[in-house]
């Protein structure tokens, strides 16, 4: 073809054949033979069996086929024969006279599809409950429980109980350290409704905590007729009610607690008075800092200074007292035993995020106490105060005094926790029993203090859970104050004193011992509670499934 003929106008088809730059990117290259097939070769299923792969058909009784097996449809006529095990089909038994905590824990650990539907009761309004208002009430109740120091598992159980009491069975509560959320899905084809609430303020008031538990118990009772408006009214009354003890009683209780703790570590009457004065002064300074808006870290730092300053002053004045007992007694009133027990309990029950946050809070409080005491100890060492760590030992010959001091310590601790007056006597006796067990094992039996503390804390948890189940209430008011005599105040002080005297190795050993004692207390309390559920009919393992965990894989 000549150049003139090539430049002549040609049709599109001819140009696409002869022009090499006008071609499709999907065109088949020249020289490549592609077999032609009928139909639509480009339109195939992604589950189609590739050519050349011979896949055998599954047997008639085969329940699972290959990944490349042809899909099959289900037919009720061709369904296999129903099979019933020899021991029958397991049925979840939820006896109505059980505490609502056990029933709700049982259902929370079950899949959503296996949970029994709630029975329609008179509390369900016509046309169904108002879902947003029920979720709001649930979150407000959970907020009070979590802010009061209740464990995450019990908060979830309470939230689930409130929702089920108003007919919302497909609910999933979620609890973290500062955030509460709950989701309700009416059915598998409807959009879920989700609400959340942030916990910004925390306060210790076990009287309010007990009132919330009674409200949840009334809501969970199928025979009660507590409407949504009545529940809101009772919740508002709980928020408006004042604390059961005035401020001067709380300050006096703080001083008596420090004095009783000083007697536990070998102090006499003078030491008792000095420790009480230091603790009360520290309590007033902490209240002053709280009124000015300072964080709790600085409140603990300031509150730890007066007991240490009084002990050092008595040493510099050559007064024949055990300054170590004065400082140790002041530390007992500040150690965050409540937050420690709640943090370890959350970790043992699988709420690791909440447990980590609570333990981090405990660490900050402890660092604040350490900073306050260390400042005063450094000042005392520079002024020439001779603080002897062995001066607070030698306390094995006063068992009656120790038991009485431990009971007084538990009593005052219960007052500081704002407990109901009806629970103070029980927790006081529980604290005396705990110290008796510890003293019998450690001083008489010469068993290690960590093991003795763990067993004594287990007894506290067991008795506290029994008392709580007898009254269908929370176990915290019966256990938290009772562990007061077991708190590692002396080990903490000796570690800080050694660090102040440039004996860092000995100080770290003592601080590690204090941490081991604290963990022994928390684990012992939780283990005692679990033992009560394990052997009691109302808390057997048959009714409370544990979460299945893997072993590292």
């Amino acid at each position: 073809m000549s150049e003139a003929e090539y430049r002549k106008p040609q049709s599109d088809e001819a140009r696409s054949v002869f022009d090499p730059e006008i071609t499709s990117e999907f065109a088949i290259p020249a020289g490549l033979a592609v077999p032609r097939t009928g139909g639509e070769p480009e339109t195939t299923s992604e589950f189609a069996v590739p050519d050349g792969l011979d896949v055998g058909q599954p047997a008639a009784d085969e329940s699972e086929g290959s990944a490349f097996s042809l899909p099959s449809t289900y037919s009720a006529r061709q369904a296999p024969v129903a099979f019933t095990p020899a021991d029958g089909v397991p049925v979840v038994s939820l006896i109505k006279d059980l505490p609502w905590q056990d029933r709700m824990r049982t259902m929370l650990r079950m899949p959503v599809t296996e949970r029994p539907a709630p029975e329609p009761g008179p509390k369900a309004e016509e046309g169904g409950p108002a879902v947003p208002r029920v979720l709001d009430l649930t979150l407000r109740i959970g907020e009070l429980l979590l802010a009061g120091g209740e464990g995450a598992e019990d908060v979830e159980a309470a939230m689930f109980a409130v929702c089920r009491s108003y007919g919302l069975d497909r609910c999933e509560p979620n609890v973290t350290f500062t955030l509460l959320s709950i989701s309700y899905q009416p059915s598998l084809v409807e959009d879920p409704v989700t609400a959340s609430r942030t916990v910004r303020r925390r306060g210790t008031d076990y009287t309010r905590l007990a009132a919330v538990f009674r409200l949840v118990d009334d809501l969970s009772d199928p025979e009660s007729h507590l409407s949504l408006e009545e529940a809101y009214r009772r919740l508002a009354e709980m928020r408006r009610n004042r604390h059961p003890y005035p401020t001067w009683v709380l300050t006096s209780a703080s001083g008596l607690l420090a004095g009783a703790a000083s007697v536990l570590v070998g102090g006499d009457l003078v030491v008792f008075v000095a420790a009480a004065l230091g603790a009360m002064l520290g309590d007033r300074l902490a209240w002053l800092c709280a009124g000015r808006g300072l964080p709790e870290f600085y409140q603990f730092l300031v509150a730890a200074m007066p007991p240490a300053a009084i002990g050092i002053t008595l040493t510099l004045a050559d007064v024949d007292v055990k300054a170590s007992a004065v400082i140790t007694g002041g530390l007992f009133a500040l150690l965050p035993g409540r937050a420690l027990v709640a943090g370890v309990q959350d970790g043992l029950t699988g709420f690791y995020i909440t447990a980590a946050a609570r333990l981090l809070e405990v660490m900050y409080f402890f660092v604040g106490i350490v900073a306050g005491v260390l400042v005063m100890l450094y000042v005392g060492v520079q002024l020439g105060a001779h603080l002897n760590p062995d001066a607070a030992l030698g306390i094995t010959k006063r068992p009656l005094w120790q038991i009485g001091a431990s009971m007084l310590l538990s009593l005052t601790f219960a007052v500081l926790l704002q407990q109901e007056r009806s629970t103070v006597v029980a927790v006081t006796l529980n604290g005396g029993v705990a110290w008796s067990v510890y003293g019998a094992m450690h001083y008489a039996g010469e068993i290690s203090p960590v093991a003795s503390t763990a067993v004594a804390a287990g007894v506290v948890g067991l008795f506290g859970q029994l008392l709580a189940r007898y009254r269908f209430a929370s176990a915290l008011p019966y256990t938290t104050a009772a562990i007061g005599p077991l708190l590692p105040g002396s080990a903490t002080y000796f570690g800080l004193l050694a660090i102040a005297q440039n004996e860092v190795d000995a100080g770290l050993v003592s601080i590690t011992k204090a941490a081991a004692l604290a963990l022994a207390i928390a684990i012992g309390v939780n283990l005692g509670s679990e033992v009560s559920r394990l052997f009691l009919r109302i808390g057997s393992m048959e009714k409370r499934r544990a979460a299945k965990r893997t072993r590292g894989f």
Side-chain angles (χ1 to χ4, degrees), residues 71-146:
S72 60
T73 58
Y74 176 80
S75 175
R77 296 180 179 179
Q78 301 176 357
V81 180
F83 172 73
T84 302
D87 55 352
V89 179
V91 179
V92 179
S93 176
L94 298 174
I95 305 174
K96 294 183 179 180
D97 59 352
L98 294 181
W100 60 265
Q101 298 96 315
D102 289 331
R103 289 185 279 122
M104 296 305 113
R105 286 194 192 99
T106 301
M107 285 184 284
L108 276 175
R109 293 180 181 271
M110 296 170 57
V112 178
T113 56
E114 298 180 9
R115 294 174 184 171
E119 299 179 1
K123 287 176 293 189
E125 301 172 359
E126 295 182 2
V131 175
R133 296 199 67 197
V134 172
L135 297 184
D136 178 72
L137 175 67
T138 302
L139 291 174
R140 291 178 183 273
I141 290 177
E143 179 189 9
L144 287 180
L145 293 175
L146 188 63

Side-chain angles (χ1 to χ4, degrees), residues 32-272:
L32 180 62
V34 179
R36 293 182 175 274
T37 58
E40 297 179 1
E42 303 290 337
T43 307
T44 60
S45 172
E46 61 184 70
F47 299 103
V49 181
D51 295 337
L53 180 62
D54 186 13
V55 180
Q57 296 295 328
D61 58 347
E62 185 178 356
S63 59
E64 291 187 11
S66 172
F68 299 99
S69 300
L70 296 176
S72 60
T73 58
Y74 176 80
S75 175
R77 296 180 179 179
Q78 301 176 357
V81 180
F83 172 73
T84 302
D87 55 352
V89 179
V91 179
V92 179
S93 176
L94 298 174
I95 305 174
K96 294 183 179 180
D97 59 352
L98 294 181
W100 60 265
Q101 298 96 315
D102 289 331
R103 289 185 279 122
M104 296 305 113
R105 286 194 192 99
T106 301
M107 285 184 284
L108 276 175
R109 293 180 181 271
M110 296 170 57
V112 178
T113 56
E114 298 180 9
R115 294 174 184 171
E119 299 179 1
K123 287 176 293 189
E125 301 172 359
E126 295 182 2
V131 175
R133 296 199 67 197
V134 172
L135 297 184
D136 178 72
L137 175 67
T138 302
L139 291 174
R140 291 178 183 273
I141 290 177
E143 179 189 9
L144 287 180
L145 293 175
L146 188 63
E150 190 63 70
E153 185 182 29
D154 291 329
V155 175
E156 276 197 358
M159 294 172 64
F160 189 69
V162 175
C163 285
R164 284 186 63 87
S165 65
Y166 289 102
L168 307 185
D169 57 331
R170 304 180 66 88
C171 289
E172 285 297 335
N174 187 23
V175 177
T176 59
F177 185 59
T178 58
L179 181 64
L180 297 170
S181 63
I182 189 166
S183 178
Y184 169 66
Q185 188 172 14
S187 65
L188 295 177
V189 296
E190 297 182 63
D191 295 333
V193 181
T194 304
S196 62
R197 193 173 183 89
T198 303
V199 180
R200 302 189 183 276
R201 296 187 61 184
R202 300 178 184 274
T204 304
D205 190 344
Y206 281 4
T207 299
R208 180 180 297 172
L209 189 70
V212 176
F213 262 74
R214 285 193 294 269
L215 174 60
V216 178
D217 189 27
D218 293 340
L219 289 173
S220 304
D221 188 2
E223 299 179 358
S224 66
H225 300 272
L226 196 62
S227 64
L228 197 64
E229 299 298 332
E230 179 66 17
Y232 266 110
R233 186 190 63 79
R234 289 179 56 177
L235 195 63
E237 288 181 355
M238 296 174 197
R239 291 181 175 274
R240 288 195 302 265
N241 286 344
R242 302 186 61 178
H243 297 306
Y245 305 103
T247 303
W248 67 270
V249 173
L250 297 179
T251 302
S252 302
S254 178
L256 292 176
L257 189 153
S262 66
V263 173
L264 283 179
V265 293
D268 52 12
L269 182 60
V270 177
V271 172
F272 181 94

